[in-house]
Amino acid sequence: MKNPNLDKFPLGFWSTLEAGQAPIDQPKDWAEMGMTLTMGDAYKDGVTDKAHFKAMLDCAYEQGLKIILCDERAESRTIAKIGFDGYRANLQAVVDDWGSHPAIWGVHLGDEPNMTEYPLFIRAIHLCQEIAPQWQPYANLLPWAPGVQDDLGLTDWSKYLDDFVKDSGMKFLSYDCYTQMRSDPMAWPIYFHNLKLYGDAARRNDIPFWTILLSVPHFKYRNPSLDDIRWQLNTAVASGAKGISWFYLYQQNIWYSNYRNAPVNQVGRKTQLYYDISDVQNIFNRTLAPVMDKLTLQKVYHICKAYGGFELFYGDEEVEFHDSEEPMIMSYFTDEADPEWKYLLLVNNSCTESVLYTVTLHGHPSETQELICDGEWRSMSGKLHDDGDVKLTETGMQLPHWYAPGQAVLYRYKR
């Protein structure tokens, strides 16, 4: 389930600006934030200066970024207005303008289709695959929710996702969900159920899935803290997500809205969220990203309390069960290129509390290591600084660790 034509874990954001509103060197900010694959600012034919836009793409390429092209001529919904022949001509013009640029990885075709728009999305995807095989078509889907499912007239969301993959031939799934930043009782069940639904569909169809997380408070969604940003990213990755994007980075020019405190706000100032996302992503890029990018998810458990249909952990053949009051996520991964290692990812499933959690591996693995930074792994033996001591008991190896809110720790071991 490798992402197509990518050599870095995809990290990006949702586009909200017309490119002419932005400086040519704006992609330097994206690189500073640890972005690797992101939507670019939108090109509007007849409005955006073409030389300006090309210079932005050149800058992105120089920064080592891959771009999902946002050109309004490629929007699949326009098929309803201009017909399929008109849309084909528009998409061909997009390819003629930008098809040779080395920064472009894919093209954005649309967002959150309803069932009337669904056939338009499928036709646009097929056409993109036909005339721009060098690009990946990007079409983002709605999140599951009781009301959304009813509005779409669906009784089985899993079948809907399988049908979408079959109908479209897409090589990855993408969806957005922000309920995790609400405080009502359904907030986390909806968030995790989407991770499970899309993750299960991705594995059934042997493709990766991406999720769009929240970086801009609006409606009843709270202002994400540093801990919230870390928690969102790591809980998604622990659930199998192979790409992360943020909604969004630059505040839209809607001054009366309750959308607020974007990473870059209405007056162009970088807020604390800009630096929080930068820190979380750059730490992720130097620790988990290069490893998780090549691993394959095998199983996800929730510890203490389960959400969204994930299984509550009561012990298995690898890990001993400890009756815990600390909510955690525990995920198993394998590396197809080096199958003798087993990987165990643990995430503190709290946005607010640090916890000391001890995991016990059954038996005494021949080698056990923890990922540190920049590809360094440390052997699990002796005293682990403030975490305590590795202990060998009759039943297994105890690995204590202090976890910050949303912090992820990756172990690997050989039997």
Side-chain angles (χ1 to χ4, degrees):
M1 289 187 288
K2 180 76 174 174
N3 282 307
N5 303 325
L6 290 174
D7 58 4
K8 294 180 181 179
F9 193 101
L11 297 172
F13 66 90
W14 197 260
S15 172
T16 55
L17 294 183
E18 185 265 312
Q21 301 172 353
I24 286 172
D25 64 350
Q26 191 181 72
K28 292 181 180 179
D29 286 347
W30 311 343
E32 178 185 54
M33 295 184 76
M35 305 295 179
T36 58
L37 168 67
T38 186
M39 289 187 185
D41 293 331
Y43 178 82
K44 295 186 177 182
D45 191 49
V47 175
T48 309
D49 180 77
K50 186 173 288 188
H52 180 94
F53 189 73
K54 182 182 181 301
M56 291 189 74
L57 291 177
D58 292 343
C59 181
Y61 182 71
E62 292 164 1
Q63 295 298 313
L65 295 164
K66 291 291 186 181
I67 297 299
I68 297 172
L69 176 67
C70 294
D71 186 317
E72 64 177 6
R73 294 173 292 179
E75 168 57 58
S76 59
R77 288 181 173 90
T78 62
I79 296 173
K81 298 178 180 179
I82 64 176
F84 186 69
D85 290 341
Y87 181 77
R88 175 186 281 272
N90 272 4
L91 190 57
Q92 185 63 59
V94 173
V95 175
D96 292 343
D97 284 344
W98 314 117
S100 63
H101 201 286
I104 298 177
W105 175 85
V107 58
H108 181 214
L109 302 179
D111 180 40
E112 298 185 341
N114 60 35
M115 296 315 290
T116 301
E117 297 161 340
Y118 181 93
L120 308 181
F121 276 61
I122 300 302
R123 296 198 74 177
I125 291 167
H126 287 170
L127 185 57
C128 181
Q129 293 163 337
E130 174 191 337
I131 69 175
Q134 73 273 31
W135 288 346
Q136 294 298 320
Y138 178 80
N140 185 63
L141 301 181
L142 283 157
W144 171 89
V148 174
Q149 180 164 312
D150 294 342
D151 289 344
L152 293 180
L154 299 175
T155 58
D156 188 337
W157 200 273
S158 295
K159 182 179 184 302
Y160 164 66
L161 297 180
D162 290 342
D163 288 346
F164 176 76
V165 175
K166 180 182 177 181
D167 293 343
S168 67
M170 287 284 289
K171 295 181 180 179
F172 63 100
L173 285 168
S174 174
Y175 76 97
D176 54 275
C177 183
Y178 314 135
T179 63
Q180 64 274 16
M181 291 295 102
R182 295 189 333 218
S183 58
D184 59 275
M186 286 299 294
W188 281 24
I190 291 174
Y191 170 68
F192 281 108
H193 192 50
N194 274 289
L195 286 168
K196 190 171 193 311
L197 282 170
Y198 278 86
D200 288 350
R203 287 185 288 281
R204 284 195 304 272
N205 292 280
D206 196 29
I207 58 174
F209 83 95
W210 302 357
T211 186
I212 302 173
L213 305 172
L214 185 68
S215 56
V216 173
H218 63 285
F219 306 158
K220 288 191 174 182
Y221 306 127
R222 70 173 176 268
N223 185 37
S225 67
L226 172 65
D227 291 337
D228 288 330
I229 296 295
R230 184 193 311 109
W231 177 89
Q232 288 187 84
L233 188 150
N234 286 334
T235 55
V237 170
S239 303
K242 285 289 188 177
I244 301 293
S245 190
W246 299 97
F247 181 78
Y248 43 70
L249 184 54
Y250 298 98
Q251 183 67 54
Q252 299 179 67
N253 190 24
I254 307 175
W255 292 72
Y256 54 83
S257 171
N258 93 321
Y259 283 72
R260 59 203 180 276
N261 197 40
V264 181
N265 67 16
Q266 293 99 318
V267 296
R269 188 179 71 83
K270 295 175 180 176
T271 68
Q272 187 60 45
L273 267 170
Y274 177 96
Y275 298 102
D276 289 346
I277 294 173
S278 298
D279 287 347
V280 168
Q281 292 198 150
N282 282 300
I283 289 170
F284 180 73
N285 283 334
R286 293 187 60 183
T287 54
L288 289 175
V291 182
M292 301 308 298
D293 194 43
K294 66 180 182 179
L295 298 185
T296 301
L297 177 67
Q298 300 298 321
K299 181 72 175 180
V300 182
Y301 289 107
H302 285 196
I303 297 171
C304 179
K305 185 172 182 179
Y307 298 92
F310 283 105
E311 187 175 343
L312 191 62
F313 185 66
Y314 291 108
D316 62 12
E317 67 277 6
E318 296 291 338
V319 172
E320 183 176 320
F321 174 65
H322 297 281
D323 191 9
S324 172
E325 296 182 357
E326 312 299 346
M328 303 287 291
I329 299 174
M330 185 177 75
S331 304
Y332 292 111
F333 294 84
T334 56
D335 183 354
E336 295 176 1
D338 194 359
E340 65 177 335
W341 285 106
K342 295 184 177 181
Y343 292 79
L344 182 67
L345 183 69
L346 285 150
V347 175
N348 177 6
N349 200 15
S350 170
C351 297
T352 57
E353 300 297 326
S354 292
V355 300
L356 176 61
Y357 183 78
T358 298
V359 63
T360 301
L361 300 177
H362 282 309
H364 299 152
S366 62
E367 192 170 356
T368 306
Q369 299 175 344
E370 177 188 354
L371 179 63
I372 304 302
C373 183
D374 297 330
E376 177 188 355
W377 293 83
R378 69 168 174 175
S379 178
M380 291 288 93
S381 61
K383 185 172 177 60
L384 304 175
H385 191 52
D386 294 333
D387 297 323
D389 297 302
V390 173
K391 294 181 181 179
L392 298 178
T393 68
E394 291 184 1
T395 59
M397 172 182 281
Q398 294 183 349
L399 305 173
H401 203 290
W402 273 102
Y403 294 78
Q407 184 179 356
V409 174
L410 182 65
Y411 298 104
R412 67 180 183 181
Y413 58 95
K414 296 179 182 179
R415 293 294 185 186

